[in-house]
Amino acid sequence: MKSELLKVLRQADDYVSGQQLCSRFGVSRTAVWKAIRQLQEAGYEIDAVNNRGYRFLSAPDLLTPEEIRSRLHTGFMGQNCICLESVDSTNNYVKKLAEDGAEEGTLVLAEEQTGGKGRRGRVWETPKGKNIAMSLLLRPKIHPAHASQLTLLMAMAVGEAIRSCTGLEAGIKWPNDVVVNGRKICGILTEMNTEVDYINYVVIGTGINVNQQEFPEELREIAGSLRQNLGKETGRAAIVAAGMDELERLYDIFRKTEDLSALKDDYNRCCVNRGHGIRVMERGEAYTGTTEGINDHGELVVRKDSGEEVLVYAGEVSVRGLYGYT
Amino acid sequence: MKSELLKVLRQADDYVSGQQLCSRFGVSRTAVWKAIRQLQEAGYEIDAVNNRGYRFLSAPDLLTPEEIRSRLHTGFMGQNCICLESVDSTNNYVKKLAEDGAEEGTLVLAEEQTGGKGRRGRVWETPKGKNIAMSLLLRPKIHPAHASQLTLLMAMAVGEAIRSCTGLEAGIKWPNDVVVNGRKICGILTEMNTEVDYINYVVIGTGINVNQQEFPEELREIAGSLRQNLGKETGRAAIVAAGMDELERLYDIFRKTEDLSALKDDYNRCCVNRGHGIRVMERGEAYTGTTEGINDHGELVVRKDSGEEVLVYAGEVSVRGLYGYT
């Protein structure tokens, strides 16, 4: 009831009477009052006035299932939501849930990761209480060869969530880094368990630097946070929920064709590589060129300086701007 | 030492003196004698004659690391070998080992599976002590899209192991069922954990019906065992080891090109579908045609009765002979 109660209060412009809440949830006035007390104790500011009722004032920066669910507008994405204080890696945690049969859309968040993973076993730091570390379970009925495109959907969803929650101009560095002002704000690690032609499950791990202020020396030119760009803290639950809302919308579109044909224009509009010179590094070879973005399958279409057009696949190569990270 | 000792004795045509064994392994006569005693207690028949030494007579049908390793001629395939009395599923067991960093070539066998898995979550029965249930861990540095071809390599390796150990004419029903006289002898379930462009690990689960005599009513027309075809029992360890030997050879060839270009002729020679009428069933559609076998990527090249040539991908369709299972 608490997440529904929060939702009602948050959406109301004015006070909501205790009587309205009682009939809505079919409980006693005492039960409503108790739930309000618990929310206040958790850090929510809720004004209570005799004969007028309750009014939502502000929420603490909490990552709790209630806080996230009360902001969701999804059918399933993120609805089964688990928030942990500390975990080795949210991806590993969701993989275990997946093996035990957890449902599609299950979302796990952690205030801290002690063994967070980046791609190919690299480390991904999640300092306590500052950022978003989350992993989402999907069970798409698509061919395994098409699953890599889900990573691009998540990048699009996070970009949209950042834009709508903060007003910052979030772009995507192909294939799936979300960047603000030339610094990486979000990294995504997708892992799958598949049979030859069948996906058992996909886990999309997403790390978003929200309120972190300092980065290690070696990352300072590459990594950034929303806090650094905004000059103030941002609530994390709103970003999580907005991301889930947008991802569910994109996922529905994607599943119709199992490709990005209906989404590539939106992707390319956000793609920071588009229209700029890029350097592509393959094993032992590097070349420069330009790109207008991805094709229907998420591959980067690159025109080499020699005039030849080539398709670049995620991961087999590294793509950098000619000047700096993006 | 026991697996090395078995290997030496098994390969010798005559008695091997205790002194030879002492110098070979750098241990005392008593140590050699103790090892021989332990092998005898485990069911090996080893003749011991004063002044002549030891001679290998026969091995019990044991699945033990010593028994398997003493028959292997591989660099790594199956060398790290674990034999269990009972397990839910050897694939699940190897997945856990893989997450903990187990090395490529790790092989797990079980006398019994209590929750053995076939493809897409179907059940695979492994009655105690009769058959081979094994799962192999590979960590190929290839693109995930190419990994499905590993399943075809395993089918080739099992077919060759059956031919060399029993003399039976083992064929392959595309993509990866091993068949003898029109009945399925071996099923393979390959599972992978991947990132978008990178394979963390592949687990190839293989079930071979060796000494099972009876099958449930509903499988009788489809499933068979080596025992049914030979009229007598066959040692399982020899088949496991021969399969690992052959798989390592095939894997080395495969990795050079990441495709089956150098192996497809061998595959097609064993393919029981070749030159016969087949029925291909896709979702909601069925057609008949003929095939001459696979292409470089393991896809079945089918000429429809209408004359059109199509490529058939593993798993998206079901392929049956026009008359019966194969």
Side-chain angles (χ1 to χ4, degrees):
Chain A
M1 179 177 116
K2 271 189 283 182
S3 51
E4 279 302 304
L5 184 57
L6 270 178
K7 194 170 213 160
V8 170
L9 293 178
R10 188 179 270 129
Q11 285 168 355
D13 295 328
D14 200 355
Y15 286 84
V16 183
S17 76
Q19 189 49 52
Q20 269 181 283
L21 296 171
C22 291
S23 15
R24 166 112 189 203
F25 298 112
V27 297
S28 70
R29 275 180 172 257
T30 318
V32 168
W33 178 81
K34 271 193 185 159
I36 296 279
R37 281 296 300 156
Q38 284 169 6
L39 289 170
Q40 287 171 331
E41 277 159 18
Y44 292 89
E45 283 188 86
I46 299 169
D47 196 23
V49 176
N50 269 344
N51 296 323
R52 297 190 70 186
Y54 303 101
R55 184 175 179 184
F56 184 88
L57 296 177
S58 77
D61 186 29
L62 288 180
L63 288 182
T64 62
E66 291 78 22
E67 184 59 28
I68 289 164
R69 268 193 232 118
S70 74
R71 295 167 184 273
L72 284 177
H73 306 87
T74 62
F76 66 97
M77 205 72 87
Q79 290 289 350
N80 180 28
C81 176
I82 298 166
C83 297
L84 307 168
E85 266 307 298
S86 183
V87 72
D88 59 341
S89 136
T90 53
N91 264 28
N92 286 355
Y93 194 92
V94 173
K95 280 196 269 179
K96 281 173 205 145
L97 293 182
E99 295 284 351
D100 290 339
E103 64 194 313
E104 176 160 79
T106 295
L107 180 70
V108 170
L109 294 107
E111 291 286 356
E112 179 188 43
Q113 287 189 108
T114 56
K117 295 186 298 185
R119 295 188 51 229
R120 302 194 175 199
R122 293 184 201 116
V123 172
W124 180 274
E125 299 267 356
T126 309
K128 192 154 190 154
K130 295 284 181 192
N131 295 341
I132 295 167
M134 63 181 184
S135 293
L136 177 73
L137 173 63
L138 296 178
R139 298 184 182 275
K141 299 197 183 326
I142 62 174
H143 194 277
H146 302 157
S148 64
Q149 300 173 46
L150 295 169
T151 304
L152 277 65
L153 296 193
M154 181 59 100
M156 291 176 76
V158 170
E160 177 56 29
I162 292 174
R163 285 191 295 274
S164 69
C165 293
T166 68
L168 289 171
E169 264 311 308
I172 301 173
K173 173 179 174 291
W174 182 86
N176 56 18
D177 285 353
V178 180
V179 297
V180 174
N181 287 324
R183 299 266 194 292
K184 177 169 170 172
I185 300 287
C186 166
I188 299 173
L189 171 67
T190 298
E191 295 183 83
M192 305 175 237
N193 183 291
T194 67
E195 293 176 23
V196 165
D197 59 314
Y198 180 80
I199 294 178
N200 289 319
Y201 56 82
V202 176
V203 177
I204 307 180
T206 306
I208 310 176
N209 300 331
V210 182
N211 295 320
Q212 184 171 359
Q213 296 208 59
E214 289 296 327
F215 289 89
E217 180 71 37
E218 68 276 17
L219 292 180
R220 235 163 259 170
E221 293 297 304
I222 295 171
S225 71
L226 300 181
R227 172 83 170 81
Q228 288 176 331
N229 284 281
L230 289 168
K232 58 172 184 162
E233 300 219 328
T234 308
R236 294 171 295 164
I239 294 171
V240 172
M244 289 297 108
D245 283 357
E246 178 68 1
L247 185 67
E248 185 166 292
R249 189 182 76 79
L250 299 173
Y251 188 58
D252 283 345
I253 297 170
F254 170 75
R255 282 190 293 184
K256 283 179 192 139
T257 55
E258 285 194 31
D259 67 23
L260 299 171
S261 49
L263 296 169
K264 71 177 174 190
D265 290 346
D266 285 345
Y267 180 96
N268 287 336
R269 254 190 298 278
C270 305
C271 182
V272 297
N273 309 107
R274 203 167 66 117
H276 295 287
I278 57 171
R279 172 174 285 118
V280 179
M281 278 159 282
E282 287 182 87
R283 317 161 220 196
E285 196 210 350
Y287 58 85
T288 55
T290 56
T291 180
E292 292 305 318
I294 61 169
N295 64 12
D296 286 354
H297 308 293
E299 297 147 10
L300 196 69
V301 184
V302 174
R303 183 167 296 280
K304 288 184 174 186
D305 290 344
S306 62
E308 186 193 355
E309 196 172 273
V310 291
L311 293 179
V312 176
Y313 302 87
E316 296 187 342
V317 298
S318 159
V319 172
R320 289 284 166 90
L322 289 180
Y323 310 103
Y325 171 65
T326 52
Chain B
M1 180 178 114
K2 272 189 282 182
S3 52
E4 279 302 304
L5 184 58
L6 270 178
K7 194 169 213 162
V8 170
L9 292 178
R10 189 178 270 128
Q11 284 169 355
D13 296 328
D14 201 354
Y15 287 83
V16 184
S17 76
Q19 188 51 51
Q20 270 181 280
L21 296 171
C22 292
S23 13
R24 166 107 189 208
F25 298 112
V27 298
S28 69
R29 276 180 170 256
T30 319
V32 167
W33 177 81
K34 271 194 185 156
I36 296 279
R37 280 294 300 156
Q38 285 170 3
L39 288 170
Q40 287 170 330
E41 278 159 17
Y44 291 89
E45 283 189 87
I46 298 168
D47 195 26
V49 176
N50 269 345
N51 296 323
R52 296 190 69 186
Y54 303 101
R55 184 176 179 183
F56 184 88
L57 296 176
S58 77
D61 186 28
L62 289 180
L63 288 182
T64 61
E66 291 77 23
E67 184 58 28
I68 289 163
R69 269 193 233 117
S70 74
R71 295 166 184 273
L72 285 176
H73 306 86
T74 61
F76 66 96
M77 205 71 88
Q79 290 290 348
N80 180 29
C81 176
I82 297 166
C83 297
L84 307 167
E85 267 307 298
S86 182
V87 72
D88 60 340
S89 138
T90 53
N91 264 29
N92 286 356
Y93 194 92
V94 173
K95 280 195 270 179
K96 281 173 204 144
L97 293 181
E99 295 284 351
D100 291 338
E103 65 194 311
E104 176 158 80
T106 294
L107 180 69
V108 170
L109 295 106
E111 290 286 356
E112 179 188 42
Q113 288 189 109
T114 56
K117 294 186 299 185
R119 295 187 52 228
R120 302 195 174 199
R122 293 186 200 115
V123 172
W124 180 274
E125 299 266 357
T126 310
K128 192 153 191 155
K130 294 287 181 190
N131 295 341
I132 294 167
M134 63 181 184
S135 293
L136 177 72
L137 173 63
L138 296 179
R139 298 185 182 275
K141 297 196 185 326
I142 62 175
H143 193 276
H146 302 157
S148 64
Q149 301 173 47
L150 294 169
T151 304
L152 276 66
L153 296 193
M154 181 59 100
M156 292 176 75
V158 170
E160 177 56 29
I162 291 174
R163 285 190 296 274
S164 70
C165 293
T166 68
L168 290 170
E169 264 311 309
I172 301 173
K173 172 179 174 292
W174 183 84
N176 55 20
D177 285 352
V178 180
V179 296
V180 175
N181 288 323
R183 299 266 194 292
K184 177 169 171 173
I185 300 288
C186 165
I188 299 172
L189 171 67
T190 298
E191 295 183 82
M192 306 177 236
N193 183 290
T194 66
E195 293 176 23
V196 165
D197 59 314
Y198 180 79
I199 294 177
N200 288 319
Y201 56 83
V202 176
V203 177
I204 307 180
T206 306
I208 310 176
N209 300 330
V210 182
N211 295 321
Q212 184 171 359
Q213 295 209 59
E214 289 296 328
F215 289 89
E217 180 72 37
E218 69 275 17
L219 292 179
R220 235 163 256 168
E221 293 297 304
I222 295 171
S225 71
L226 300 180
R227 171 84 169 80
Q228 289 176 330
N229 284 280
L230 289 166
K232 59 171 185 168
E233 300 218 329
T234 309
R236 295 171 294 164
I239 294 171
V240 172
M244 290 296 108
D245 284 357
E246 178 68 2
L247 185 67
E248 184 166 293
R249 189 182 76 79
L250 299 173
Y251 188 57
D252 283 346
I253 297 169
F254 170 76
R255 282 188 293 185
K256 282 180 193 139
T257 56
E258 286 194 31
D259 67 24
L260 300 170
S261 49
L263 296 169
K264 71 176 174 190
D265 290 347
D266 285 345
Y267 181 96
N268 288 334
R269 254 191 297 278
C270 304
C271 181
V272 297
N273 309 105
R274 203 166 68 115
H276 295 288
I278 57 171
R279 171 173 286 119
V280 180
M281 278 158 283
E282 287 181 88
R283 318 162 219 195
E285 196 210 349
Y287 57 85
T288 56
T290 57
T291 180
E292 292 305 317
I294 61 169
N295 64 12
D296 287 354
H297 307 292
E299 298 146 10
L300 196 68
V301 185
V302 175
R303 183 167 295 278
K304 289 184 174 185
D305 290 345
S306 63
E308 186 194 355
E309 196 171 274
V310 290
L311 293 180
V312 177
Y313 301 86
E316 297 188 342
V317 298
S318 159
V319 172
R320 289 285 167 90
L322 289 181
Y323 311 103
Y325 171 66
T326 53

